[in-house]
Amino acid sequence: MKDRKAYTGIDDFRFAVRKWGLKKVLVITSVLYIVGLFGDSYYGIASEIPFLKNLYAEIFDILDYTRNGVFFAPVFFVLGGAAAEMSAAENRVYIEERRKDTKLSFLRGGRRVLLRSASLVIYIIHPMLIVVIRLIAKLTGLQSILIENSLVHYFMVSAASIFFAVFSVKLWDRWKNRGSTDYVPGTDRAWLEIDMHSLGHNVEILKNEMPADCKLMAVMKAEAYGHGMYETASYLNQIGVDAFAAATIDEGICLRRCGIVGEILILGYTDPARAGELHKYDLIQTLIDYPYSRLLNKQGYDIKAHMKIDTGMHRLGFGKEEIEKIVHVFKMRHIQVCGIYTHLCVADSRKEKDIRFTKIQINSFYRVLEELRKKGVTVPKIHMQSSYGLLNYPQLRCDYVRAGIALYGVPSSPKDKTKLPMELWPVLSLKSRVVLIRKIKKGESVGYGRTFVAQRDSMIAVLPVGYADGLPRNLSCGRGRALIHGQMVPVIGRICMDQLTIDVTDIENVSVGEVATLIGRDGEKELPASEAAGRAGSITNELLSRMGGRLSRILVW
């Protein structure tokens, strides 16, 4: 068994927050702090009230005094965690609000960072300022007010602590950031717009088609398909989604550190040596086969897990014939199997042969569950529907639907047809600004390889976005398109790593600084992500998941 880390109590606070919620835990720890405070620095007040005097007599019989970590430390752990949760990943998250005048409004998380830092300073300097206030009282002859009056003394110390903490943090930030430049809203060369209203709409649409006792499991892998894992998961948490799926343990840890509460299932492989992190962050690990389950169990950490059954995809999972091994895993000491699932590999197809294969997979999965019941195993929560599993097989009764691409409002391919039509709205748009307009004469070429030669005198616009931003190079030479002034124009020449060019000859009054849309809507026309992916010879899932590595995300409401 692995050596355990020294007990610090921090894991207990994480558990308490997840179980009861931040507000309740904050109230409890604040009460402890006040009890400790009035049993120590302000015992003079408590001793004048018979009930409190008797209460503290009992406390002192057990603990001798209240100046200890039991009373004072918990509230600072909770405040620090709350401030960290609010400020995580907000340094570059800007929120654009839809307003009648279409102007942009940006908010930053600086105040939350200040709260987190100031609370730490208060924790450190509060005892020292008690001494300072008493010294000032003696020097000014105001002992009767500042010392003997306990309430005045308490409020003076508190006010001085807060003032000193805020002042010192702001002074430190000014010194640390001297010479640095702040981000100026509206100056991005290219960016992703994430429409949170559409995301919320899609959640409601999907839930309306699910059984009442079925939960939506939001798939967050690959930065939420390029939409931003922190931004989307935080919003989904706020509107009631509390089941998530990630591809890797690091994605799961990131979600936890961003303050996401609820279930987080790791869909892929995690090295058994990282079992301690699975336990620490309360993540649910997929069991990919029997040898892996044994290795994970041997690590000595209590792990929550979902068991995957291979019903025909032949990727991860237990074979459907391995009933005895599956039963043995349910009896392992350190593995708590709280879910079991399979993956339907052609659920997106409406071809007759693929429908037959999917039904074989479904029946195979149900047979495994029935065999487990015969062996006396209590079958945990089940799931097999991904986005297309719900769209094409809505009749299946499961405990979760793993919604990925449908959650973000787009099909994998523009040709996809589904049994269950849904009015899902695209969440992501890709936009860039015109940085240069150039006149070229008939016969002149543009870009690498001279793949575009003007057949007439033309006007071209340069956009500072390229394949390093996730826009496929396969969209070069007219396969890609853009919208500007609500009109469609072609991408000409080859898409470069950081730039591309569009032909705006037929668009009047295009000027530097104007916005071009490469994915999304402009006026009455739209360039769907699925269409761009299809033109590039790919699928929407791949196209979107490659975006956002260096593009800013603007949240639109």
Side-chain angles (χ1 to χ4, degrees), residues 93-97 194 196 227 231 553-557:
V93 176
Y94 300 94
I95 300 176
E96 179 186 6
E97 298 175 321
I194 311 300
M196 308 307 283
H227 293 67
E231 295 90 336
R553 292 187 184 90
I554 297 177
L555 307 189
V556 182
W557 300 86

Side-chain angles (χ1 to χ4, degrees), residues 13 32-33 65-77 123:
F13 289 115
L32 284 174
Y33 177 79
Y65 48 81
T66 60
R67 184 178 292 181
N68 55 49
V70 174
F71 294 97
F72 287 102
V75 70
F76 290 100
F77 278 122
Y123 178 63

Side-chain angles (χ1 to χ4, degrees), residues 471-481 491 493 495 532 535-536 543:
L471 197 66
R473 190 170 179 268
N474 286 355
L475 292 177
S476 301
C477 305
R479 284 188 292 273
R481 298 186 294 172
V491 173
I495 295 176
R535 286 173 173 265
L543 174 69

Side-chain angles (χ1 to χ4, degrees), residues 37 43 58-59 66 68 104 110 177 192 199 210 245 282 288 303 334 347 396 402 412 433 449 454 463 511-512 546:
L37 200 63
Y43 181 66
E58 295 294 333
I59 294 174
T66 60
N68 55 49
L104 300 180
N177 296 324
L192 299 172
L199 181 61
M210 293 160 46
D282 192 25
I288 64 173
I303 302 298
H334 296 292
L396 297 178
R402 304 186 303 268
S412 290
R433 294 189 184 278
L463 305 180
S511 59
V512 169
R546 288 186 173 187

Side-chain angles (χ1 to χ4, degrees), residues 18 30 69 78 85 88 98 102 177 196 198 273 285 330 350 380 446 517 524:
R18 289 180 194 137
S30 296
V78 175
E85 174 185 333
R98 282 181 175 150
T102 69
N177 296 324
M196 308 307 283
S198 293
Q285 175 57 43
F330 273 89
R350 298 306 296 160
V446 176
T517 301
E524 297 298 318

Side-chain angles (χ1 to χ4, degrees), residues 35-96:
V35 170
L37 200 63
F38 282 87
D40 184 65
S41 302
Y42 306 107
Y43 181 66
I45 298 175
S47 63
E48 295 176 1
I49 303 173
F51 169 74
L52 292 180
K53 184 176 181 180
N54 294 334
L55 174 64
Y56 279 105
E58 295 294 333
I59 294 174
F60 295 152
D61 281 343
I62 300 171
L63 299 175
D64 293 330
Y65 48 81
T66 60
R67 184 178 292 181
N68 55 49
V70 174
F71 294 97
F72 287 102
V75 70
F76 290 100
F77 278 122
V78 175
L79 285 172
E85 174 185 333
M86 289 188 292
S87 63
E90 288 196 358
N91 288 338
R92 291 279 298 178
V93 176
Y94 300 94
I95 300 176
E96 179 186 6

Side-chain angles (χ1 to χ4, degrees), residues 426-440:
V427 176
L428 178 146
S429 299
L430 171 62
K431 298 184 178 183
S432 184
R433 294 189 184 278
V434 174
V435 295
L436 186 145
I437 296 175
R438 185 183 299 279
K439 295 180 180 180
I440 60 171

